[in-house]
Amino acid sequence: MLPSLLLFSLLLSNFRPACAATAEQWRTRSIYQVITDRFALEPGAVVNECVISNSTWCGGTWNSIRENLNYIQDAGFTAIWISPINQNYEGPRTAYGDPYHGYWPADVSQLNEHFGTADDLKALSAELHLSLTQEKKELIEQVDIVVNNVMATSLTPDYSSYMFKSAEYYHPYCVIDWTNLTSEQQCWLGDTTVPLPDLNSENSDVVSQYSSWISDLVQTYSIDGLRIDAAKHIRASFWPAFAQSAGVFCMGEVFDPSVPNVAEFQGPGALDSVLNYPAYYALVSAFALPGPQNISALTDTISQSKTALGNFLENQDVPRWHNLSVDPQSMYNAMSFSFLSDGIPIVYYGQEQGFSGNADPYNREPLWPSNYTNTSSYQLMTTLNQLRNFLVNTTDWATQSMDVITSNDHGLAFQKGNIVTILTNIGAPPQNFTNTAFQSPWAHGTVTIDVIACRQFVVASGGYLEVEYTKGGVPVVLAESSFLQGSGLCGATLAALHDSSTGDVVAQSSASRHTPLVWLAVPLFLMSVSLGSW
Ligand SMILES: *[C@@H]1O[C@H](CO)[C@@H](O)[C@H](O)[C@H]1NC(C)=O
Ligand SMILES: *[C@@H]1O[C@H](CO)[C@@H](O)[C@H](O)[C@H]1NC(C)=O
Ligand SMILES: *[C@@H]1O[C@H](CO)[C@@H](O)[C@H](O)[C@H]1NC(C)=O
Ligand SMILES: *[C@@H]1O[C@H](CO)[C@@H](O)[C@H](O)[C@H]1NC(C)=O
Ligand SMILES: *[C@@H]1O[C@H](CO)[C@@H](O)[C@H](O)[C@H]1NC(C)=O
Ligand SMILES: *[C@@H]1O[C@H](CO)[C@@H](O)[C@H](O)[C@H]1NC(C)=O
Ligand SMILES: *[C@@H]1O[C@H](CO)[C@@H](O)[C@H](O)[C@H]1NC(C)=O
Ligand SMILES: *[C@@H]1O[C@H](CO)[C@@H](O)[C@H](O)[C@H]1NC(C)=O
């Protein structure tokens, strides 16, 4: 399953300068997020040496990412996000471990030697941009950067080894008042054990040096986009000029559940995009089991924000989904939301392997003990990517807005372009629970396909659809079958859509019923999903 190693000389010969992707192009992409240290080992490395609680380097490098890109490409991703590349603190191990994650910058004008050389990083970038053969689709690269702060081990650090070498470039130390945004932007993150000295982004020298730094970085390594750590901790008005110098798509981290607070950092006065923390909190609230099962939290968030944000269920700062929710179907439903609602889907490495670590450092597991297995979650992710790639290739789906068709305490149905997605929070156990019937966008007699289970359904009179969950709370993703021709999904012909392995009768519409389309939701296929990899 791991890719063949392409020769370095071949990569260099195909290397071409950055043709930076625009925000419009990024909207069509789906992103796989990796922590460089934890994604893959170099050949010959000892596999059992990574002790997560040690919070130290486990051996992943830019080369080992490059050598294992097939795992990402085979799942249909079209972009990767890699953890910060710049030099970090070098010194005795702190109480919080070593900066294997890359988020403790020192001299950001240098690369981080733990992860390889400049040529290694260029080779990774070149391979990402390579599309030599039809099977090898081009991936684009988003690099994580830390601009807000550096890392130190005292409140009065010697700055001579940093890119900004004197205290005048930093805000004076103060403790953050989390009720005051100015304080969040000018006081120091971290604590007294590992303080994170805050760059004075009001200082014009800081502004201009950062500007030339990011311009050089993006061009030298052919970076297509930036993920900006702690973007909320710098005044929003800093970002437009910075992003202009970068010349690429910028997605900021604004770690905040509130739509208005997050929205302040997206738009012409700030950044192209931000991570969708409001939707993250809402998805946990709506789908985690056990949990409040609050679908309104999700529909409220959808109604407040209709822009291209980065949708995610996990990252290096929040617990794994399976630490919050034990039910596999809860993740499949939430994952379907990430891919098929407005925004850019982001999957954090290991989510597809059922990792379940809690907060830092336990949510930064090495991926290799999973053997990169083709799990049920990996397959669901692949299907969702295949559908989404087809949609963005063949229609203006990426720029269409989602509309919630209906919602109740147990789920919601929404439409975006040609797709209707029906999600539920009832979980894996079978239930004789019927969601509210709702009017689909399709006319009576339309043949539709659930692309996840490859089942065919015919829309009944009045355009009504109804979903029944006798086999558990599976996500349902419907498209007109005629539309799917050529997508490679669920076979090319309708005949292939009947699931002969289960022997179940596929439900059909019946004009005599009040709820004409009865969904006998997904028998053996999804039972094997829920048993297969957990
Ligand atoms: C990691 O932790 C184990 C067990 O606590 C310890 O034996 C080992 O020396 C540690 N390794 C490193 C590199 O710190
Ligand atoms: C907010 O924080 C800033 C920076 O620390 C401080 O100057 C200002 O007085 C604070 N405002 C309030 C209302 O506390
Ligand atoms: C559900 O979330 C909404 C916020 O969108 C909140 O107003 C409401 O109180 C929540 N309901 C419960 C039962 O927690
Ligand atoms: C959540 O993470 C913690 C720490 O890694 C772990 O001890 C616990 O078992 C996890 N819970 C689940 C449900 O996986
Ligand atoms: C990965 O492979 C090793 C060696 O064959 C095996 O011991 C281990 O159980 C496998 N892990 C998973 C998650 O499949
Ligand atoms: C994963 O398994 C599915 C089902 O067997 C298969 O269709 C798919 O090609 C596999 N993916 C990879 C990358 O091997
Ligand atoms: C999308 O379009 C590209 C370029 O034409 C093509 O290589 C790729 O196979 C298409 N993908 C899908 C899923 O249609
Ligand atoms: C659902 O209802 C059918 C028919 O009433 C019954 O046979 C079946 O046992 C019920 N299943 C569950 C999980 O309640």
Side-chain angles (χ1 to χ4, degrees):
M1 101 177 19
L2 300 184
S4 57
L5 179 66
L6 281 172
L7 293 176
F8 186 60
S9 56
L10 174 65
L11 295 172
L12 284 184
S13 70
N14 282 283
F15 181 73
R16 49 177 211 259
C19 55
T22 64
E24 283 314 300
Q25 289 168 314
W26 273 96
R27 285 172 90 110
T28 67
R29 300 287 174 148
S30 62
I31 304 174
Y32 189 80
Q33 178 193 354
V34 304
I35 291 185
T36 299
D37 186 63
R38 300 295 160 92
F39 176 65
L41 285 177
E42 302 226 6
V46 181
V47 295
N48 294 323
E49 274 188 352
C50 186
V51 179
I52 299 168
S53 56
N54 283 6
S55 292
T56 191
W57 294 278
C58 286
T61 62
W62 297 317
N63 281 341
S64 66
I65 295 175
R66 178 170 53 76
E67 289 158 4
N68 291 276
L69 285 176
N70 279 10
Y71 177 73
I72 301 172
Q73 286 179 310
D74 289 349
F77 288 97
T78 48
I80 74 165
W81 152 9
I82 63 171
S83 53
I85 60 176
N86 298 110
Q87 192 208 72
N88 271 215
Y89 164 76
E90 293 286 346
R93 184 177 316 182
T94 75
Y96 307 144
D98 294 308
Y100 66 92
H101 40 72
Y103 291 100
W104 288 353
D107 182 355
V108 295
S109 69
Q110 312 284 319
L111 291 182
N112 193 326
E113 290 178 356
H114 288 276
F115 306 131
T117 64
D119 282 346
D120 296 342
L121 186 56
K122 287 177 182 170
L124 170 59
S125 191
E127 169 111 9
L128 288 168
H129 295 141
L130 199 67
S131 45
L132 270 184
T133 67
Q134 299 226 310
E135 306 90 72
K136 263 200 176 302
K137 295 189 197 85
E138 182 182 68
L139 287 160
I140 55 177
E141 181 180 34
Q142 183 175 40
V143 165
D144 204 329
I145 54 167
V146 186
V147 171
N148 173 66
N149 56 267
V150 293
M151 178 275 193
T153 49
S154 92
L155 296 178
T156 52
D158 170 4
Y159 291 111
S160 60
S161 62
Y162 294 62
M163 184 167 93
F164 292 99
K165 298 188 187 303
S166 124
E168 70 185 287
Y169 297 121
Y170 300 81
H171 288 127
Y173 172 75
C174 48
V175 176
I176 290 178
D177 167 2
W178 290 95
T179 65
N180 173 346
L181 183 61
T182 311
S183 170
E184 288 183 49
Q185 293 173 343
Q186 302 192 351
C187 293
W188 291 17
L189 289 169
D191 58 20
T192 53
T193 306
V194 174
L196 302 176
D198 198 80
L199 266 301
N200 180 352
S201 58
E202 289 77 32
N203 178 307
S204 60
D205 290 339
V206 170
V207 170
S208 68
Q209 281 194 57
Y210 260 151
S211 166
S212 43
W213 168 75
I214 197 60
S215 169
D216 286 353
L217 193 76
V218 163
Q219 286 174 42
T220 305
Y221 300 106
S222 306
I223 295 164
D224 305 296
L226 298 169
R227 180 272 184 188
I228 299 173
D229 191 58
K232 181 193 182 189
H233 294 275
I234 293 187
R235 64 191 163 91
S237 58
F238 171 85
W239 294 118
F242 181 86
Q244 173 94 32
S245 302
V248 292
F249 177 75
C250 293
M251 179 185 283
E253 178 204 30
V254 182
F255 204 137
D256 195 311
S258 145
V259 173
N261 291 355
V262 168
E264 190 184 328
F265 288 84
Q266 190 196 22
L271 294 164
D272 293 316
S273 179
V274 289
L275 288 165
N276 200 348
Y277 268 97
Y280 164 73
Y281 287 108
L283 286 167
V284 172
S285 181
F287 291 110
L289 285 171
Q293 296 185 264
N294 188 348
I295 294 286
S296 314
L298 185 57
T299 51
D300 285 359
T301 304
I302 296 167
S303 71
Q304 287 178 65
S305 57
K306 290 217 165 195
T307 42
L309 309 183
N311 295 334
F312 63 94
L313 303 182
E314 298 183 351
N315 64 35
Q316 76 284 2
D317 293 326
V318 299
R320 295 283 189 178
W321 183 267
H322 284 302
N323 203 271
L324 300 174
S325 179
V326 296
D327 187 291
Q329 289 300 342
S330 72
M331 187 170 86
Y332 301 149
N333 278 273
M335 200 192 268
S336 301
F337 182 89
S338 280
F339 277 82
L340 297 170
S341 62
D342 294 343
I344 304 167
I346 303 171
V347 173
Y348 180 54
Y349 83 97
Q351 182 180 314
E352 73 287 0
Q353 296 294 341
F355 286 176
S356 61
N358 196 353
D360 172 12
Y362 299 101
N363 54 1
R364 299 162 180 198
E365 303 92 326
L367 187 55
W368 46 91
S370 74
N371 301 331
Y372 306 91
T373 303
N374 184 357
T375 61
S376 302
S377 303
Y378 184 92
Q379 288 166 36
L380 176 64
M381 222 164 60
T382 308
T383 301
L384 292 170
N385 267 325
Q386 195 179 350
L387 174 63
R388 196 173 179 282
N389 290 340
F390 175 70
L391 289 164
V392 301
N393 261 9
T394 57
T395 71
D396 61 353
W397 191 82
T399 53
Q400 305 231 15
S401 288
M402 69 186 289
D403 284 309
V404 175
I405 302 172
T406 188
S407 68
N408 62 26
D409 288 348
H410 302 288
L412 75 163
F414 62 88
Q415 180 184 8
K416 181 174 165 75
N418 298 332
I419 303 297
V420 171
T421 303
I422 304 148
L423 304 177
T424 181
N425 59 11
I426 62 175
Q431 298 190 34
N432 275 352
F433 169 82
T434 303
N435 210 341
T436 312
F438 64 91
Q439 195 161 19
S440 77
W442 296 301
H444 180 201
T446 306
V447 178
T448 70
I449 308 293
D450 169 19
V451 301
I452 295 180
C454 289
R455 286 176 169 267
Q456 170 192 334
F457 299 97
V458 180
V459 176
S461 59
Y464 278 94
L465 290 173
E466 184 188 32
V467 182
E468 200 173 88
Y469 295 105
T470 54
K471 302 292 164 100
V474 301
V476 169
V477 177
L478 290 178
E480 269 190 74
S481 68
S482 54
F483 171 72
L484 290 175
Q485 295 302 320
S487 70
L489 284 155
C490 297
T493 65
L494 286 176
L497 295 165
H498 295 280
D499 186 345
S500 56
S501 68
T502 67
D504 272 73
V505 177
V506 173
Q508 296 289 340
S509 67
S510 154
S512 65
R513 293 184 62 109
H514 295 297
T515 51
L517 176 60
V518 176
W519 204 309
L520 299 176
V522 198
L524 293 176
F525 172 83
L526 278 146
M527 290 174 73
S528 68
V529 166
S530 48
L531 297 174
S533 61
W534 307 102

